[in-house]
Short mmCIF file of all heavy atoms in Angstrom, two decimals:
data_model
loop_
_atom_site.label_atom_id
_atom_site.label_comp_id
_atom_site.label_asym_id
_atom_site.label_seq_id
_atom_site.Cartn_x
_atom_site.Cartn_y
_atom_site.Cartn_z
N MET A 1 48.71 -3.47 196.22
CA MET A 1 50.01 -3.73 196.79
C MET A 1 50.00 -5.12 197.44
O MET A 1 49.03 -5.59 197.98
CB MET A 1 50.27 -2.72 197.87
CG MET A 1 50.34 -1.26 197.42
SD MET A 1 51.73 -0.94 196.30
CE MET A 1 52.98 -0.63 197.57
N ILE A 2 51.12 -5.82 197.33
CA ILE A 2 51.31 -7.11 197.95
C ILE A 2 52.59 -7.18 198.69
O ILE A 2 53.51 -6.43 198.44
CB ILE A 2 51.26 -8.23 196.89
CG1 ILE A 2 52.37 -8.04 195.78
CG2 ILE A 2 49.92 -8.37 196.18
CD1 ILE A 2 52.50 -9.21 194.82
N LEU A 3 52.69 -8.12 199.71
CA LEU A 3 53.91 -8.27 200.44
C LEU A 3 54.88 -9.11 199.65
O LEU A 3 54.55 -10.19 199.14
CB LEU A 3 53.55 -9.05 201.75
CG LEU A 3 54.71 -9.27 202.68
CD1 LEU A 3 55.35 -7.98 203.09
CD2 LEU A 3 54.27 -10.13 203.91
N ALA A 4 56.11 -8.59 199.63
CA ALA A 4 57.22 -9.34 198.96
C ALA A 4 58.43 -9.25 199.89
O ALA A 4 58.47 -8.48 200.87
CB ALA A 4 57.55 -8.70 197.59
N PHE A 5 59.48 -9.99 199.54
CA PHE A 5 60.71 -9.99 200.31
C PHE A 5 61.86 -9.63 199.49
O PHE A 5 62.12 -10.27 198.44
CB PHE A 5 60.90 -11.37 200.98
CG PHE A 5 59.81 -11.78 201.84
CD1 PHE A 5 58.71 -12.43 201.37
CD2 PHE A 5 59.67 -11.31 203.19
CE1 PHE A 5 57.66 -12.81 202.14
CE2 PHE A 5 58.67 -11.68 203.93
CZ PHE A 5 57.64 -12.39 203.44
N LEU A 6 62.57 -8.54 199.84
CA LEU A 6 63.73 -8.06 199.11
C LEU A 6 64.98 -8.69 199.68
O LEU A 6 65.23 -8.66 200.90
CB LEU A 6 63.83 -6.53 199.22
CG LEU A 6 65.08 -5.85 198.60
CD1 LEU A 6 65.08 -6.11 197.09
CD2 LEU A 6 65.13 -4.40 199.01
N LEU A 7 65.82 -9.24 198.79
CA LEU A 7 67.12 -9.86 199.26
C LEU A 7 68.13 -8.69 199.44
O LEU A 7 68.28 -7.93 198.49
CB LEU A 7 67.64 -10.83 198.21
CG LEU A 7 68.99 -11.48 198.47
CD1 LEU A 7 68.89 -12.30 199.72
CD2 LEU A 7 69.43 -12.27 197.30
N VAL A 8 68.71 -8.59 200.64
CA VAL A 8 69.69 -7.58 200.93
C VAL A 8 70.99 -8.23 201.23
O VAL A 8 71.02 -9.17 202.01
CB VAL A 8 69.22 -6.73 202.12
CG1 VAL A 8 70.26 -5.65 202.50
CG2 VAL A 8 67.87 -6.07 201.89
N VAL A 9 72.09 -7.76 200.61
CA VAL A 9 73.40 -8.36 200.76
C VAL A 9 74.34 -7.27 201.22
O VAL A 9 74.34 -6.18 200.61
CB VAL A 9 73.96 -9.02 199.49
CG1 VAL A 9 75.28 -9.62 199.64
CG2 VAL A 9 72.96 -10.07 199.01
N VAL A 10 75.11 -7.58 202.28
CA VAL A 10 76.09 -6.60 202.80
C VAL A 10 77.43 -7.27 202.76
O VAL A 10 77.67 -8.39 203.31
CB VAL A 10 75.79 -6.21 204.23
CG1 VAL A 10 76.81 -5.23 204.76
CG2 VAL A 10 74.40 -5.63 204.33
N ALA A 11 78.40 -6.67 202.01
CA ALA A 11 79.74 -7.12 201.97
C ALA A 11 80.66 -6.12 202.62
O ALA A 11 80.89 -5.04 202.13
CB ALA A 11 80.19 -7.33 200.55
N GLY A 12 81.22 -6.55 203.76
CA GLY A 12 82.01 -5.61 204.55
C GLY A 12 81.07 -4.56 205.18
O GLY A 12 80.11 -4.94 205.88
N ASP A 13 81.30 -3.36 204.91
CA ASP A 13 80.46 -2.23 205.38
C ASP A 13 79.52 -1.72 204.21
O ASP A 13 78.93 -0.67 204.43
CB ASP A 13 81.29 -1.17 205.89
CG ASP A 13 82.04 -1.56 207.19
OD1 ASP A 13 81.57 -2.45 207.91
OD2 ASP A 13 83.10 -0.98 207.43
N GLU A 14 79.54 -2.38 203.09
CA GLU A 14 78.87 -1.83 201.93
C GLU A 14 77.68 -2.67 201.54
O GLU A 14 77.81 -3.92 201.41
CB GLU A 14 79.88 -1.73 200.76
CG GLU A 14 79.29 -1.05 199.54
CD GLU A 14 80.31 -0.84 198.48
OE1 GLU A 14 81.54 -0.72 198.87
OE2 GLU A 14 80.03 -0.93 197.26
N VAL A 15 76.57 -2.03 201.32
CA VAL A 15 75.37 -2.73 200.87
C VAL A 15 75.47 -2.94 199.32
O VAL A 15 75.69 -1.99 198.61
CB VAL A 15 74.02 -1.98 201.16
CG1 VAL A 15 72.84 -2.65 200.59
CG2 VAL A 15 73.90 -1.79 202.63
N VAL A 16 75.42 -4.21 198.90
CA VAL A 16 75.46 -4.54 197.52
C VAL A 16 74.15 -4.23 196.83
O VAL A 16 73.09 -4.58 197.37
CB VAL A 16 75.81 -6.08 197.29
CG1 VAL A 16 75.87 -6.51 195.85
CG2 VAL A 16 77.07 -6.45 197.99
N PRO A 17 74.16 -3.52 195.66
CA PRO A 17 72.91 -3.16 194.99
C PRO A 17 72.10 -4.47 194.63
O PRO A 17 72.59 -5.26 193.84
CB PRO A 17 73.36 -2.47 193.75
CG PRO A 17 74.75 -2.10 194.01
CD PRO A 17 75.33 -3.12 194.91
N THR A 18 70.96 -4.62 195.24
CA THR A 18 70.08 -5.79 194.90
C THR A 18 68.62 -5.30 194.59
O THR A 18 67.75 -6.09 194.72
CB THR A 18 70.05 -6.81 196.04
OG1 THR A 18 69.61 -6.17 197.22
CG2 THR A 18 71.39 -7.46 196.25
N GLU A 19 68.49 -4.04 194.22
CA GLU A 19 67.14 -3.56 193.99
C GLU A 19 66.50 -4.37 192.86
O GLU A 19 67.10 -4.72 191.91
CB GLU A 19 67.06 -2.10 193.64
CG GLU A 19 67.99 -1.71 192.51
CD GLU A 19 69.38 -1.33 192.93
OE1 GLU A 19 69.68 -0.92 194.00
OE2 GLU A 19 70.28 -1.55 192.03
N GLY A 20 65.28 -4.73 193.16
CA GLY A 20 64.58 -5.57 192.18
C GLY A 20 64.64 -7.08 192.44
O GLY A 20 64.05 -7.92 191.80
N MET A 21 65.41 -7.52 193.44
CA MET A 21 65.54 -8.92 193.77
C MET A 21 64.47 -9.27 194.78
O MET A 21 64.68 -9.56 195.94
CB MET A 21 66.94 -9.25 194.39
CG MET A 21 68.01 -9.11 193.37
SD MET A 21 67.98 -10.28 192.03
CE MET A 21 68.22 -11.81 192.89
N TYR A 22 63.21 -9.32 194.35
CA TYR A 22 62.07 -9.54 195.09
C TYR A 22 61.59 -11.01 194.99
O TYR A 22 61.64 -11.63 193.91
CB TYR A 22 60.89 -8.73 194.73
CG TYR A 22 61.07 -7.30 195.14
CD1 TYR A 22 61.37 -6.28 194.27
CD2 TYR A 22 60.94 -6.90 196.49
CE1 TYR A 22 61.52 -4.93 194.59
CE2 TYR A 22 61.06 -5.58 196.89
CZ TYR A 22 61.43 -4.58 195.94
OH TYR A 22 61.63 -3.32 196.32
N PHE A 23 61.17 -11.64 196.11
CA PHE A 23 60.62 -12.93 196.20
C PHE A 23 59.25 -12.91 196.82
O PHE A 23 58.98 -12.12 197.73
CB PHE A 23 61.55 -13.86 197.02
CG PHE A 23 62.91 -14.00 196.40
CD1 PHE A 23 63.90 -13.06 196.58
CD2 PHE A 23 63.17 -15.12 195.54
CE1 PHE A 23 65.17 -13.25 196.07
CE2 PHE A 23 64.39 -15.22 194.99
CZ PHE A 23 65.42 -14.29 195.23
N ARG A 24 58.33 -13.70 196.31
CA ARG A 24 57.01 -13.86 196.89
C ARG A 24 57.10 -14.69 198.24
O ARG A 24 56.31 -14.55 199.16
CB ARG A 24 56.02 -14.52 196.00
CG ARG A 24 55.60 -13.67 194.82
CD ARG A 24 54.56 -14.41 194.01
NE ARG A 24 54.37 -13.77 192.73
CZ ARG A 24 54.94 -14.08 191.64
NH1 ARG A 24 55.79 -15.09 191.53
NH2 ARG A 24 54.73 -13.45 190.54
N ASP A 25 58.02 -15.68 198.16
CA ASP A 25 58.08 -16.66 199.25
C ASP A 25 59.33 -16.34 200.12
O ASP A 25 60.43 -16.33 199.70
CB ASP A 25 58.19 -18.00 198.64
CG ASP A 25 58.25 -19.15 199.56
OD1 ASP A 25 58.27 -18.98 200.79
OD2 ASP A 25 58.21 -20.37 199.16
N ILE A 26 59.08 -16.19 201.44
CA ILE A 26 60.22 -15.91 202.35
C ILE A 26 61.18 -17.09 202.40
O ILE A 26 62.40 -16.90 202.55
CB ILE A 26 59.72 -15.63 203.83
CG1 ILE A 26 60.84 -15.28 204.78
CG2 ILE A 26 58.94 -16.83 204.37
CD1 ILE A 26 61.47 -13.96 204.42
N ASN A 27 60.75 -18.28 202.24
CA ASN A 27 61.68 -19.46 202.22
C ASN A 27 62.63 -19.46 201.03
O ASN A 27 63.76 -19.78 201.14
CB ASN A 27 60.90 -20.77 202.25
CG ASN A 27 60.14 -20.91 203.55
OD1 ASN A 27 60.60 -20.67 204.64
ND2 ASN A 27 58.89 -21.35 203.44
N ARG A 28 62.14 -19.01 199.93
CA ARG A 28 63.01 -18.95 198.70
C ARG A 28 63.97 -17.86 198.89
O ARG A 28 65.17 -17.99 198.55
CB ARG A 28 62.10 -18.71 197.48
CG ARG A 28 62.83 -18.79 196.17
CD ARG A 28 63.17 -20.25 195.88
NE ARG A 28 63.82 -20.34 194.54
CZ ARG A 28 64.73 -21.16 194.20
NH1 ARG A 28 65.23 -22.01 195.02
NH2 ARG A 28 65.25 -21.11 192.97
N CYS A 29 63.60 -16.72 199.37
CA CYS A 29 64.51 -15.58 199.61
C CYS A 29 65.57 -16.03 200.67
O CYS A 29 66.74 -15.78 200.45
CB CYS A 29 63.69 -14.35 200.08
SG CYS A 29 64.79 -12.91 200.37
N SER A 30 65.11 -16.71 201.70
CA SER A 30 66.06 -17.13 202.72
C SER A 30 67.06 -18.13 202.21
O SER A 30 68.20 -18.21 202.61
CB SER A 30 65.32 -17.79 203.86
OG SER A 30 64.52 -16.82 204.55
N TYR A 31 66.66 -18.97 201.24
CA TYR A 31 67.59 -19.93 200.57
C TYR A 31 68.81 -19.18 199.95
O TYR A 31 69.87 -19.57 200.17
CB TYR A 31 66.77 -20.71 199.52
CG TYR A 31 67.65 -21.54 198.64
CD1 TYR A 31 68.17 -22.84 199.09
CD2 TYR A 31 68.03 -21.10 197.39
CE1 TYR A 31 68.97 -23.54 198.16
CE2 TYR A 31 68.85 -21.83 196.54
CZ TYR A 31 69.29 -23.07 196.90
OH TYR A 31 70.14 -23.76 196.12
N PHE A 32 68.46 -18.13 199.19
CA PHE A 32 69.50 -17.40 198.60
C PHE A 32 70.39 -16.64 199.54
O PHE A 32 71.57 -16.60 199.39
CB PHE A 32 68.95 -16.50 197.52
CG PHE A 32 68.48 -17.16 196.24
CD1 PHE A 32 67.17 -17.50 196.03
CD2 PHE A 32 69.48 -17.59 195.32
CE1 PHE A 32 66.77 -18.19 194.93
CE2 PHE A 32 69.02 -18.29 194.22
CZ PHE A 32 67.68 -18.55 193.99
N ALA A 33 69.74 -16.05 200.58
CA ALA A 33 70.50 -15.37 201.64
C ALA A 33 71.48 -16.31 202.37
O ALA A 33 72.64 -15.96 202.57
CB ALA A 33 69.47 -14.78 202.63
N TYR A 34 70.99 -17.53 202.65
CA TYR A 34 71.84 -18.45 203.31
C TYR A 34 73.05 -18.82 202.45
O TYR A 34 74.23 -18.86 202.94
CB TYR A 34 71.10 -19.76 203.69
CG TYR A 34 71.89 -20.77 204.33
CD1 TYR A 34 72.15 -20.80 205.67
CD2 TYR A 34 72.57 -21.77 203.57
CE1 TYR A 34 72.99 -21.71 206.30
CE2 TYR A 34 73.37 -22.74 204.12
CZ TYR A 34 73.51 -22.74 205.48
OH TYR A 34 74.40 -23.65 206.06
N ASN A 35 72.78 -19.13 201.20
CA ASN A 35 73.83 -19.56 200.29
C ASN A 35 74.79 -18.46 200.01
O ASN A 35 75.99 -18.73 199.69
CB ASN A 35 73.25 -20.18 199.05
CG ASN A 35 72.69 -21.62 199.31
OD1 ASN A 35 73.45 -22.45 199.75
ND2 ASN A 35 71.51 -21.78 199.16
N LEU A 36 74.38 -17.22 200.04
CA LEU A 36 75.29 -16.09 199.80
C LEU A 36 76.24 -15.95 200.99
O LEU A 36 77.38 -15.55 200.89
CB LEU A 36 74.59 -14.81 199.52
CG LEU A 36 73.96 -14.65 198.15
CD1 LEU A 36 72.93 -13.57 198.18
CD2 LEU A 36 75.07 -14.47 197.17
N GLU A 37 75.69 -16.25 202.23
CA GLU A 37 76.54 -16.13 203.42
C GLU A 37 77.48 -17.33 203.67
O GLU A 37 78.47 -17.21 204.37
CB GLU A 37 75.61 -16.07 204.63
CG GLU A 37 74.91 -14.72 204.78
CD GLU A 37 74.13 -14.67 206.11
OE1 GLU A 37 73.91 -15.70 206.78
OE2 GLU A 37 73.74 -13.55 206.50
N HIS A 38 77.18 -18.47 203.04
CA HIS A 38 78.00 -19.66 203.35
C HIS A 38 78.60 -20.16 202.00
O HIS A 38 78.04 -20.08 200.97
CB HIS A 38 77.12 -20.77 203.89
CG HIS A 38 76.56 -20.40 205.18
ND1 HIS A 38 75.50 -19.59 205.37
CD2 HIS A 38 76.91 -20.75 206.49
CE1 HIS A 38 75.23 -19.45 206.67
NE2 HIS A 38 76.07 -20.16 207.28
N ASN A 39 79.83 -20.72 202.15
CA ASN A 39 80.52 -21.24 200.93
C ASN A 39 80.07 -22.67 200.66
O ASN A 39 79.17 -23.16 201.37
CB ASN A 39 82.02 -21.12 201.07
CG ASN A 39 82.51 -21.95 202.25
OD1 ASN A 39 81.88 -22.87 202.72
ND2 ASN A 39 83.76 -21.60 202.66
N TYR A 40 80.56 -23.25 199.66
CA TYR A 40 80.06 -24.56 199.24
C TYR A 40 80.22 -25.66 200.25
O TYR A 40 79.64 -26.69 200.15
CB TYR A 40 80.73 -24.94 197.91
CG TYR A 40 82.18 -25.19 198.05
CD1 TYR A 40 82.70 -26.52 198.18
CD2 TYR A 40 83.10 -24.13 197.95
CE1 TYR A 40 84.04 -26.75 198.33
CE2 TYR A 40 84.53 -24.39 198.05
CZ TYR A 40 84.92 -25.72 198.22
OH TYR A 40 86.27 -25.88 198.31
N VAL A 41 81.02 -25.51 201.31
CA VAL A 41 81.19 -26.56 202.28
C VAL A 41 80.36 -26.24 203.55
O VAL A 41 80.50 -26.83 204.66
CB VAL A 41 82.68 -26.85 202.67
CG1 VAL A 41 83.39 -27.52 201.51
CG2 VAL A 41 83.35 -25.63 203.15
N GLY A 42 79.63 -25.14 203.53
CA GLY A 42 78.72 -24.79 204.60
C GLY A 42 79.28 -23.86 205.66
O GLY A 42 78.69 -23.65 206.69
N LYS A 43 80.51 -23.41 205.52
CA LYS A 43 81.12 -22.49 206.47
C LYS A 43 80.71 -21.06 206.09
O LYS A 43 80.74 -20.63 204.97
CB LYS A 43 82.62 -22.71 206.47
CG LYS A 43 83.05 -24.06 206.97
CD LYS A 43 84.46 -24.16 207.21
CE LYS A 43 84.78 -25.52 207.70
NZ LYS A 43 86.25 -25.69 208.03
N LYS A 44 80.51 -20.24 207.18
CA LYS A 44 80.19 -18.87 206.97
C LYS A 44 81.31 -18.10 206.44
O LYS A 44 82.48 -18.24 206.85
CB LYS A 44 79.76 -18.30 208.31
CG LYS A 44 79.24 -16.90 208.21
CD LYS A 44 78.04 -16.63 209.14
CE LYS A 44 77.64 -15.18 209.11
NZ LYS A 44 77.08 -14.67 207.89
N GLN A 45 81.07 -17.37 205.37
CA GLN A 45 82.07 -16.57 204.72
C GLN A 45 82.24 -15.23 205.55
O GLN A 45 81.38 -14.71 206.09
CB GLN A 45 81.65 -16.14 203.32
CG GLN A 45 81.50 -17.35 202.42
CD GLN A 45 81.31 -16.97 200.98
OE1 GLN A 45 82.29 -16.70 200.26
NE2 GLN A 45 80.10 -16.90 200.56
N LEU A 46 83.55 -14.77 205.56
CA LEU A 46 83.83 -13.50 206.34
C LEU A 46 83.28 -12.27 205.59
O LEU A 46 83.33 -12.22 204.40
CB LEU A 46 85.32 -13.41 206.47
CG LEU A 46 85.98 -14.51 207.32
CD1 LEU A 46 87.55 -14.31 207.29
CD2 LEU A 46 85.47 -14.49 208.71
N ASN A 47 82.77 -11.41 206.43
CA ASN A 47 82.37 -10.05 205.91
C ASN A 47 81.18 -10.14 204.87
O ASN A 47 81.05 -9.13 204.15
CB ASN A 47 83.53 -9.31 205.31
CG ASN A 47 84.59 -9.05 206.38
OD1 ASN A 47 84.27 -8.86 207.51
ND2 ASN A 47 85.83 -9.14 205.93
N ILE A 48 80.45 -11.16 204.85
CA ILE A 48 79.25 -11.21 203.97
C ILE A 48 78.04 -11.64 204.71
O ILE A 48 78.04 -12.60 205.41
CB ILE A 48 79.42 -12.18 202.75
CG1 ILE A 48 80.60 -11.71 201.87
CG2 ILE A 48 78.17 -12.32 201.99
CD1 ILE A 48 80.88 -12.65 200.67
N SER A 49 77.04 -10.75 204.71
CA SER A 49 75.74 -11.11 205.31
C SER A 49 74.62 -10.86 204.27
O SER A 49 74.77 -10.02 203.45
CB SER A 49 75.52 -10.36 206.54
OG SER A 49 75.49 -9.00 206.41
N ALA A 50 73.55 -11.59 204.51
CA ALA A 50 72.38 -11.42 203.58
C ALA A 50 71.16 -11.66 204.40
O ALA A 50 71.14 -12.53 205.34
CB ALA A 50 72.54 -12.36 202.41
N TYR A 51 70.08 -10.96 204.13
CA TYR A 51 68.77 -11.18 204.79
C TYR A 51 67.70 -10.78 203.82
O TYR A 51 67.90 -10.13 202.78
CB TYR A 51 68.82 -10.41 206.12
CG TYR A 51 68.99 -8.90 205.97
CD1 TYR A 51 67.81 -8.05 205.86
CD2 TYR A 51 70.25 -8.36 205.99
CE1 TYR A 51 68.03 -6.63 205.71
CE2 TYR A 51 70.37 -7.00 205.84
CZ TYR A 51 69.27 -6.18 205.78
OH TYR A 51 69.47 -4.82 205.62
N CYS A 52 66.49 -11.08 204.31
CA CYS A 52 65.25 -10.73 203.53
C CYS A 52 64.43 -9.68 204.25
O CYS A 52 64.12 -9.85 205.41
CB CYS A 52 64.46 -11.99 203.28
SG CYS A 52 65.35 -13.33 202.47
N LYS A 53 64.20 -8.61 203.52
CA LYS A 53 63.47 -7.49 204.06
C LYS A 53 62.06 -7.45 203.49
O LYS A 53 61.90 -7.38 202.30
CB LYS A 53 64.23 -6.11 203.74
CG LYS A 53 63.56 -4.96 204.19
CD LYS A 53 64.33 -3.76 203.71
CE LYS A 53 63.64 -2.49 204.02
NZ LYS A 53 64.34 -1.28 203.46
N PRO A 54 61.04 -7.56 204.31
CA PRO A 54 59.63 -7.46 203.87
C PRO A 54 59.32 -6.07 203.32
O PRO A 54 59.69 -5.04 203.98
CB PRO A 54 58.81 -7.81 205.03
CG PRO A 54 59.67 -7.62 206.18
CD PRO A 54 61.09 -7.78 205.81
N GLU A 55 58.62 -5.99 202.19
CA GLU A 55 58.24 -4.69 201.61
C GLU A 55 56.94 -4.86 200.90
O GLU A 55 56.63 -5.97 200.38
CB GLU A 55 59.30 -4.17 200.63
CG GLU A 55 60.57 -3.74 201.22
CD GLU A 55 61.45 -3.02 200.17
OE1 GLU A 55 61.15 -2.93 198.99
OE2 GLU A 55 62.59 -2.62 200.59
N MET A 56 56.17 -3.81 200.87
CA MET A 56 54.95 -3.78 200.03
C MET A 56 55.35 -3.34 198.66
O MET A 56 55.95 -2.28 198.50
CB MET A 56 53.92 -2.91 200.67
CG MET A 56 53.47 -3.39 202.04
SD MET A 56 52.73 -5.02 202.10
CE MET A 56 51.13 -4.73 201.16
N VAL A 57 54.99 -4.06 197.64
CA VAL A 57 55.26 -3.74 196.19
C VAL A 57 54.05 -3.80 195.33
O VAL A 57 53.06 -4.44 195.73
CB VAL A 57 56.40 -4.66 195.63
CG1 VAL A 57 57.66 -4.52 196.40
CG2 VAL A 57 55.98 -6.12 195.64
N SER A 58 54.08 -3.22 194.21
CA SER A 58 52.91 -3.33 193.22
C SER A 58 52.85 -4.74 192.66
O SER A 58 53.80 -5.57 192.68
CB SER A 58 53.07 -2.32 192.13
OG SER A 58 54.05 -2.67 191.25
N GLU A 59 51.65 -5.06 192.17
CA GLU A 59 51.45 -6.35 191.66
C GLU A 59 52.20 -6.62 190.29
O GLU A 59 52.29 -7.78 189.86
CB GLU A 59 49.97 -6.58 191.39
CG GLU A 59 49.22 -6.65 192.72
CD GLU A 59 47.68 -6.91 192.61
OE1 GLU A 59 47.29 -7.48 191.57
OE2 GLU A 59 46.96 -6.56 193.54
N GLU A 60 52.70 -5.53 189.69
CA GLU A 60 53.38 -5.69 188.45
C GLU A 60 54.93 -5.95 188.69
O GLU A 60 55.70 -6.12 187.73
CB GLU A 60 53.29 -4.36 187.59
CG GLU A 60 51.93 -4.18 187.05
CD GLU A 60 50.92 -3.57 188.06
OE1 GLU A 60 51.34 -2.78 188.91
OE2 GLU A 60 49.75 -3.90 188.01
N THR A 61 55.35 -5.92 189.94
CA THR A 61 56.79 -6.21 190.27
C THR A 61 57.19 -7.56 189.74
O THR A 61 56.48 -8.56 189.82
CB THR A 61 56.94 -6.19 191.79
OG1 THR A 61 56.52 -4.89 192.26
CG2 THR A 61 58.41 -6.34 192.18
N ARG A 62 58.44 -7.61 189.21
CA ARG A 62 59.01 -8.90 188.79
C ARG A 62 59.57 -9.64 190.05
O ARG A 62 60.21 -9.04 190.82
CB ARG A 62 60.12 -8.55 187.83
CG ARG A 62 60.79 -9.86 187.24
CD ARG A 62 61.82 -9.55 186.28
NE ARG A 62 62.41 -10.79 185.76
CZ ARG A 62 63.44 -10.83 185.07
NH1 ARG A 62 64.07 -9.77 184.59
NH2 ARG A 62 63.97 -12.02 184.61
N PHE A 63 59.27 -10.90 190.05
CA PHE A 63 59.72 -11.73 191.14
C PHE A 63 60.69 -12.86 190.62
O PHE A 63 60.65 -13.18 189.45
CB PHE A 63 58.58 -12.45 191.82
CG PHE A 63 57.60 -11.44 192.52
CD1 PHE A 63 56.48 -11.03 191.86
CD2 PHE A 63 57.94 -10.98 193.78
CE1 PHE A 63 55.59 -10.13 192.51
CE2 PHE A 63 57.13 -10.12 194.36
CZ PHE A 63 55.89 -9.60 193.71
N TRP A 64 61.54 -13.33 191.52
CA TRP A 64 62.58 -14.27 191.15
C TRP A 64 62.33 -15.66 191.73
O TRP A 64 63.18 -16.51 191.76
CB TRP A 64 63.97 -13.80 191.66
CG TRP A 64 64.32 -12.54 190.91
CD1 TRP A 64 64.06 -11.25 191.25
CD2 TRP A 64 64.95 -12.42 189.63
NE1 TRP A 64 64.51 -10.40 190.29
CE2 TRP A 64 65.07 -11.10 189.32
CE3 TRP A 64 65.47 -13.36 188.74
CZ2 TRP A 64 65.65 -10.68 188.13
CZ3 TRP A 64 66.06 -12.97 187.59
CH2 TRP A 64 66.16 -11.66 187.27
N ASP A 65 61.09 -15.95 192.05
CA ASP A 65 60.74 -17.31 192.50
C ASP A 65 59.65 -17.91 191.74
O ASP A 65 58.99 -17.33 190.90
CB ASP A 65 60.50 -17.33 194.03
CG ASP A 65 59.30 -16.40 194.42
OD1 ASP A 65 58.89 -15.57 193.66
OD2 ASP A 65 59.02 -16.56 195.61
#
């Protein structure tokens, strides 16, 4: 088992399905979380939040970084 970071996205009151969106690097996961929360001019979008949740996963897990 290894430590990975799962990208979690919440739109309004609903968690968006992101199962399998694992990253080895917290900084890479945080990059996507930040960009999902902010629009192209850097302002925070309403009702969208994203964060990285640490989880232990198997070594065969697919990563996105």
Side-chain angles (χ1 to χ4, degrees):
M1 299 292 278
I2 58 174
L3 179 63
F5 301 93
L6 175 66
L7 179 63
V8 179
V9 179
V10 180
D13 295 332
E14 187 174 331
V15 176
V16 178
T18 58
E19 55 274 332
M21 292 295 297
Y22 287 106
F23 296 86
R24 288 184 194 96
D25 184 353
I26 184 67
N27 294 315
R28 188 71 174 147
C29 184
S30 295
Y31 168 83
F32 286 101
Y34 177 87
N35 283 300
L36 285 166
E37 286 187 345
H38 296 78
N39 63 20
Y40 66 96
V41 293
K43 294 189 178 183
K44 185 139 174 67
Q45 299 188 83
L46 296 176
N47 299 323
I48 296 178
S49 63
Y51 60 92
C52 300
K53 178 181 172 186
E55 289 189 2
M56 298 301 289
V57 297
S58 72
E59 294 181 21
E60 291 81 33
T61 301
R62 181 177 180 189
F63 295 98
W64 293 93
D65 56 348

